[in-house]
Amino acid sequence: MKRREGLAKLMGREAYVDDLTVADCLWGATVRSSCARGRIREVRFGEGFDWGEFVVVDHRDLPGENVIALIETDQPVLAAEAVRHVHEAVVLLAHADRDLLRRAVEAVEVVVEEEPPIFDFRQPPEPAQIQHGNDNVFKELKIEKGDVDKALAKAPVVVEGVFTTGAQEHVYLETQGMLAWVEDGVVTVKGSMQCPYYVQKALKLALGREDHEVRVVQAPTGGGFGGKEEFPSGIALHAALLALKAGKPVKLIYERGEDMVATTKRHPSWIRHRTAVDTKGRLLAQDIEVVLDAGAYATLSSVVLSRAVIHAAGPYHCENVRIRGRAVLTNAVPFGAFRGFGAPQSLFACERQMDRIASELTLDPVRIRRRNLIRDGEETATGQVITDGTDRLKVLDRALELSSFQHKRRAYLDFNDTHPYLRRGVGLATFLHGAGFTGSGEVYLASEVHVAGLADGKVEVRTANTEMGQGTQTVFTQLVTDRLGLKAEDVVIAEPDTARVPDSGPTVASRTTMVVGGLIEKACDDLRRRLGLGNEERGEVLTAALALWHRQHPGEELLGTAHYEPPDGIHWDDANYRGEAYGAFAWATYVAAVEVDLRTYTARVLDFVAVQEIGKVLHEVLARGQIQGGVVQGIGWALLEDFRFKDGAMANGQLTNYIIPTSDDVPPIRVAFLENPYAHGAQGAKGIGELPMDGPAPAIVNAVAAATGADPCTIPLTPERMMSVLEAREVAR
Amino acid sequence: MTKPEHRDIGFTLNGEEIRFSGTGTERLLDVLRYRLGLPGTKEGCGEGECGACTVHLDGVPVNSCLILVGQVRNRRVDTVESVAPEALVELHTSGATQCGACTPGVVMTARFVIDHPGLLERASVRQLMAGNLCRCTGYDGIIEGIAEALRQEETSP
């Protein structure tokens, strides 16, 4: 089956929020802070504007609590007394004339009495810089197994390394946008988002309204990658507040520059490894410290940190592991969800460290991984015994074979000996990614799915899970056609609308196909049960039964339902970080071949192979597209996307100088899948959305190290950084 | 400040003669989207970097965010709305679209490449498509779709 909404997208007929035409609609805009931290003294409305013509909203217009509801309640909808970052929203304006509105935003001055900001998340705060608790630490986590100190003291070899990664902007091609209106007393918000029920929760709290008084509808969404997980709650509130005050619909669409500077980013990280190994490269102890820059508010940092520490030890078995993590406040824009959710940072450090250990012991980087890769019956850092039966060595071998790894290594040695200024290298990364919410998360979500049997014989899938390009509509359709023996045109995917669909959880964490897809299958079975049919009854029998049921029950609704139930054997101890962190892991090995130009210090990826075991491939084209797209985002994060801060603000908030990969910057991404069906995933599938973000950076940087003999441990590895690591190599010699 | 004078600006849009009343300094992108009811053309960056707003001006791809409507007077503008579904089969099959926000621009550049295979003597498809940023696909779905369409063109009479 081809992507369901594919032709509409190709023809430009998919109506995103900014494409919707609404009568008598105003444009909304946001006035932001003028500095990174301080007390708001005054808001001045400049001369030359008739401010009476504008709808003006500030914190005093909030009917409910001035809080964007998320895990914590620290982030205001609109700053009242104080600001914590330079892009913090203070005042909202609306007007029918968009050009006039743009000029008006410039004419509003937020006067702030500055207080000492803190920008370096590694630096202990001065007393005057403390803004959270007594140390600015939002969250601390610890995983401990065995006796790390003893193992480090006794080990023949200990390798230390420090790794840092930069912020990353999502650059979804459709910027953030919301349309809000009030109809029959119901505040309705429609726009670009991943999680309609997150938005609804935020609207209820800050607008002081009940469930039935707020309605949230997802418009077709032009990319998310985590950037539309939590951020849309705030912009939805802004649009709703303007619409309430204006008594008219309001459209609030971010322009690219505003979107780049003011929205959440991937957390910058600093990670230190101390690894004890024997002379053959067997891991004896892993002592890991993970520090994340959380930015000005808590957002999702505590759970990003959770995923980061759980993935920090990599796909290896080690008896003694200690992982300490903390997420720290700074006065930068709040960092938030981004594909991979902390795992790319910690897996970059882990996999770069594995190559550094191999180099220290003059071991083959393949051999050290082969020796330590977790085997069935062995435990992860949290004590989760892996018993999935996946042949992880086969994943590794397939990647080596497809990439001609050993052949390239030999050939590149000759090439490097003879070429005057080009150096080629090949590098790999082996890794894992846990699918679904961490620990007890899925139990707390308690997702619900409905499959409605309609009178015309069609079946409608009702979930809150959103299509943002990853293929949800197509995969959901396919799951129903396979389960019920229907044609694709007989399956309707309901628009995610909180007035019509149950809360099936957020569209995040690689959970939609695996978890929600599984619930859709169960709801299909329930629908059949309610029709008095057995699980083998399909197709026309079902259609006929639906028609009969509706004749016998005129005006009634027939719903098959399903609720999440955790698989047996899943236990998670959140206090001690022990147990089954995830129901399933996907396993992967990625190989990058890279060429470094010693004249320009640029690195170019020549070849990229991505091999992964993902349970079951439900749709070849969609699954491959997820991997290829994720890999290219990873290439950008590794080499190009250099997020520059100046006093906590993004200094390069334009696509002119924040560089993401073009088609000419990347080679074809060669993808292969291995399958080992997961009993609790839809048709055996495991989640794959985030997995491809984890492997590219370490594989590429390992390849650069192999090409040059340098020891790069910081990304993005821009030409400037490449120059300094190559110069450091010369000094070391 | 005196209001700039409005005047009629005539051009050919998707094969039809139209007249637009404006100052001439409006961005072509905004005129298409908000004045002429053709929201298929998307805004990605507003500074000519991403290519999401690509349209054809006298048959050549341009970023409509960088073109003022006064510049298209008496010229031919074609947007994604002019592309027939039959011309999109290969891109649909290959997975060239995911979120769809870059897609209309990608389609307009892709059609230009497919209709001018001679360009491939001087540049690769990857190079020719480098003006259209896509954050979802990793580009393979796009490149493969264009390559397949070029093969089809070659074998059709």
Side-chain angles (χ1 to χ4, degrees):
Chain A
M1 183 169 58
K2 288 185 201 169
R3 176 181 285 275
R4 277 200 91 171
E5 80 291 2
L7 197 56
K9 285 177 171 172
L10 286 157
M11 297 180 76
R13 291 190 182 168
E14 190 81 327
Y16 301 82
V17 61
D18 194 24
D19 302 337
L20 303 173
T21 310
V22 183
D24 203 19
C25 186
L26 304 181
W27 290 99
T30 313
V31 178
R32 301 177 187 280
S33 168
S34 53
C35 79
R37 186 188 171 207
R39 318 292 302 175
I40 300 174
R41 287 296 171 229
E42 195 188 342
V43 177
R44 290 186 193 141
F45 292 84
E47 289 178 10
F49 290 88
D50 179 0
W51 292 105
E53 280 184 9
F54 289 81
V55 182
V56 182
V57 163
D58 69 15
H59 68 98
R60 292 168 298 186
D61 293 298
L62 276 152
E65 287 184 48
N66 188 5
V67 161
I68 303 174
L70 199 62
I71 298 170
E72 305 291 337
T73 52
D74 60 338
Q75 185 163 207
V77 180
L78 291 167
E81 285 103 41
V83 289
R84 272 200 199 165
H85 67 94
V86 69
H87 302 300
E88 189 147 4
V90 181
V91 173
L92 306 168
L93 302 177
H95 197 279
D97 182 339
R98 201 180 190 184
D99 290 328
L100 186 67
L101 183 67
R102 283 190 187 105
R103 293 199 298 278
V105 168
E106 298 297 316
V108 182
E109 185 190 357
V110 180
V111 181
V112 178
E113 184 185 324
E114 290 191 41
E115 294 179 310
I118 185 160
F119 297 128
D120 182 353
F121 68 109
R122 295 275 304 119
Q123 176 201 322
E126 301 289 332
Q129 292 174 315
I130 291 175
Q131 296 153 70
H132 181 88
N134 54 14
D135 55 5
N136 280 350
V137 175
F138 279 124
K139 182 77 176 178
E140 263 186 297
L141 289 172
K142 189 174 182 182
I143 296 172
E144 191 149 29
K145 146 172 129 167
D147 190 336
V148 169
D149 291 325
K150 194 172 151 195
L152 281 167
K154 278 176 43 185
V157 182
V158 174
V159 179
E160 294 202 24
V162 170
F163 309 89
T164 54
T165 66
Q168 188 181 23
E169 161 54 29
H170 305 84
V171 198
Y172 28 69
L173 258 286
E174 181 214 22
T175 56
Q176 304 267 357
M178 287 286 168
L179 171 66
W181 69 94
V182 185
E183 195 175 348
D184 302 329
V186 178
V187 173
T188 303
V189 172
K190 183 169 186 174
S192 192
M193 67 182 80
Q194 295 177 220
C195 313
Y197 276 94
Y198 280 10
V199 176
Q200 194 205 33
K201 181 182 167 191
L203 289 174
K204 276 159 51 184
L205 182 70
L207 300 182
R209 287 173 167 250
E210 300 296 321
D211 273 321
H212 64 277
E213 298 170 310
V214 287
R215 177 178 163 215
V216 179
V217 186
Q218 184 234 7
T221 295
F225 317 117
K228 293 171 184 171
E229 175 168 353
E230 75 273 29
F231 193 86
S233 297
I235 184 171
L237 271 162
H238 293 170
L241 287 166
L242 284 168
L244 278 165
K245 190 150 183 182
K248 289 180 178 182
V250 172
K251 215 191 229 190
L252 184 49
I253 308 287
Y254 280 11
E255 292 182 9
R256 177 61 61 186
E258 180 178 26
D259 193 294
M260 290 187 80
V261 299
T263 65
T264 52
K265 324 280 160 216
R266 183 184 301 287
H267 292 69
S269 77
W270 179 96
I271 300 171
R272 184 172 64 190
H273 275 246
R274 283 198 301 161
T275 318
V277 286
D278 68 15
T279 52
K280 291 181 173 167
R282 184 173 297 280
L283 295 173
L284 302 174
Q286 293 169 287
D287 187 15
I288 305 168
E289 191 183 350
V290 178
V291 188
L292 299 181
D293 184 348
Y297 291 103
T299 68
L300 296 163
S301 293
S302 58
V303 277
V304 171
L305 181 69
S306 167
R307 195 174 272 274
V309 295
I310 290 170
H311 287 76
Y316 304 113
H317 173 70
C318 183
E319 294 288 347
N320 305 294
V321 182
R322 179 170 58 212
I323 306 162
R324 287 171 292 195
R326 59 184 196 277
V328 184
L329 176 147
T330 63
N331 295 102
V333 63
F335 297 100
F338 194 147
R339 193 179 205 167
F341 214 65
Q345 291 94 319
S346 61
L347 284 164
F348 167 69
C350 175
E351 282 303 285
R352 183 72 200 104
Q353 174 75 347
M354 289 304 276
D355 260 37
R356 296 175 73 253
I357 297 166
S359 170
E360 179 91 12
L361 299 173
T362 55
L363 273 180
D364 185 316
V366 174
R367 184 168 296 171
I368 190 171
R369 289 178 170 84
R370 209 183 281 286
R371 187 157 287 158
N372 291 290
L373 267 178
I374 202 161
R375 286 164 179 79
D376 265 29
E378 292 179 335
E379 281 185 5
T380 66
T382 65
Q384 177 167 1
V385 181
I386 298 297
T387 55
D388 63 11
T390 292
D391 189 342
R392 282 164 286 278
L393 291 173
K394 195 169 159 190
V395 176
L396 170 64
D397 286 334
R398 184 91 180 95
L400 297 173
E401 176 196 323
L402 262 180
S403 63
S404 309
F405 185 86
Q406 300 296 1
H407 168 76
K408 277 199 180 85
R409 281 221 302 181
R410 285 190 298 273
Y412 288 172
L413 286 178
D414 292 341
F415 178 88
N416 293 342
D417 274 347
T418 51
H419 202 282
Y421 55 83
L422 295 178
R423 297 290 176 269
R424 289 182 180 170
V426 60
L428 83 158
T430 52
F431 57 102
L432 76 175
H433 197 96
F437 261 43
T438 304
S440 313
E442 290 292 342
V443 175
Y444 293 131
L445 283 178
S447 296
E448 182 179 351
V449 160
H450 295 170
V451 171
L454 308 179
D456 60 4
K458 291 186 179 179
V459 162
E460 185 183 45
V461 180
R462 296 180 190 165
T463 79
N465 294 95
T466 51
E467 172 70 60
M468 49 183 156
Q470 80 284 41
T472 301
Q473 294 190 8
T474 309
V475 169
F476 281 3
T477 302
Q478 187 180 308
L479 288 171
V480 175
T481 56
D482 288 357
R483 198 73 167 189
L484 298 178
L486 298 173
K487 296 191 190 83
E489 60 262 34
D490 292 330
V491 179
V492 179
I493 306 297
E495 181 179 57
D497 174 347
T498 57
R500 281 198 79 228
V501 301
D503 186 357
S504 56
T507 305
V508 303
S510 311
R511 66 183 294 276
T512 302
T513 296
M514 180 177 93
V515 176
V516 183
L519 291 175
I520 289 171
E521 294 187 315
K522 284 186 187 153
C524 285
D525 294 347
D526 187 52
L527 180 71
R528 257 191 299 233
R529 212 161 23 242
R530 285 168 197 260
L531 287 166
L533 301 176
N535 273 354
E536 68 288 351
E537 306 281 13
R538 298 159 54 84
E540 284 170 14
V541 177
L542 184 88
T543 311
L546 273 177
L548 178 63
W549 189 95
H550 279 282
R551 278 200 299 278
Q552 291 169 343
H553 304 82
E556 289 181 46
E557 191 167 64
L558 175 66
L559 286 185
T561 64
H563 296 83
Y564 180 78
E565 284 165 30
D568 290 339
I570 297 281
H571 305 286
W572 178 251
D573 172 359
D574 203 50
N576 297 301
Y577 261 60
R578 302 288 299 163
E580 280 66 44
Y582 299 98
F585 290 97
W587 306 94
T589 299
Y590 286 5
V591 176
V594 168
E595 182 175 272
V596 179
D597 188 327
L598 298 178
R599 302 167 304 176
T600 60
Y601 298 105
T602 51
R604 184 176 176 82
V605 181
L606 300 174
D607 183 32
F608 201 98
V609 166
V611 177
Q612 45 264 306
E613 188 281 298
I614 61 163
K616 177 100 168 71
V617 179
L618 298 194
H619 190 294
E620 183 78 26
V621 172
L622 293 180
R624 201 174 61 224
Q626 280 291 292
I627 302 301
Q628 290 168 328
V631 166
V632 169
Q633 283 180 1
I635 291 174
W637 186 50
L639 294 176
L640 302 173
E641 297 181 33
D642 194 17
F643 194 106
R644 295 296 181 103
F645 287 102
K646 189 170 185 296
D647 299 334
M650 186 183 192
N652 53 338
Q654 293 174 277
L655 288 174
T656 303
N657 47 20
Y658 181 85
I659 306 297
I660 67 168
T662 71
S663 52
D664 194 33
D665 294 320
V666 295
I669 309 303
R670 300 195 283 143
V671 178
F673 295 109
L674 278 76
E675 295 184 318
N676 174 28
Y678 168 53
H680 305 289
Q683 293 189 8
K686 299 192 277 199
I688 61 165
E690 295 169 285
L691 174 84
M693 193 71 221
D694 297 338
I700 288 165
V701 177
N702 284 338
V704 169
T708 61
D711 183 22
C713 292
T714 294
I715 53 168
L717 193 48
T718 55
E720 291 87 345
R721 287 207 182 89
M722 183 78 79
M723 187 169 86
S724 67
V725 296
L726 290 177
E727 282 172 357
R729 174 200 61 174
E730 295 306 322
V731 171
R733 280 175 180 175
Chain B
M1 198 163 65
T2 52
K3 286 225 162 186
E5 202 179 314
H6 278 235
R7 59 190 72 182
D8 267 8
I9 296 159
F11 61 102
T12 308
L13 177 60
N14 296 334
E16 280 183 45
E17 301 297 324
I18 66 139
R19 302 201 77 74
F20 167 78
S21 173
T23 64
T25 60
E26 298 87 352
R27 298 190 304 173
L28 177 59
L29 172 64
D30 293 330
V31 171
L32 293 170
R33 287 181 54 77
Y34 304 120
R35 303 284 297 276
L36 299 174
L38 295 179
T41 304
K42 306 301 179 201
E43 173 159 2
C45 70
E47 57 179 7
E49 287 289 337
C50 77
C53 65
T54 304
V55 300
H56 290 183
L57 181 57
D58 291 336
V60 177
V62 293
N63 290 312
S64 63
C65 73
L66 299 184
I67 302 280
L68 301 182
V69 71
Q71 291 173 270
V72 308
R73 185 190 304 272
N74 299 331
R75 297 173 75 182
R76 200 176 84 238
V77 175
D78 295 292
T79 69
V80 69
E81 283 88 354
S82 71
V83 181
E86 304 82 63
L88 298 165
V89 175
E90 291 82 10
L91 290 167
H92 195 188
T93 308
S94 66
T97 182
Q98 287 190 22
C99 87
C102 76
T103 303
V106 165
V107 163
M108 294 311 283
T109 310
R111 286 310 314 172
F112 181 77
V113 173
I114 295 161
D115 292 340
H116 298 82
L119 290 168
L120 294 167
E121 288 163 22
R122 284 180 291 168
S124 67
V125 176
R126 275 186 187 274
Q127 288 168 329
L128 292 167
M129 292 306 296
N132 289 84
L133 295 176
C134 168
R135 193 63 155 165
C136 295
T137 63
Y139 301 106
D140 287 296
I142 295 168
I143 306 297
E144 285 163 22
I146 295 170
E148 181 58 30
L150 283 162
R151 276 193 290 275
Q152 297 291 333
E153 295 279 317
E154 211 169 85
T155 52
S156 65

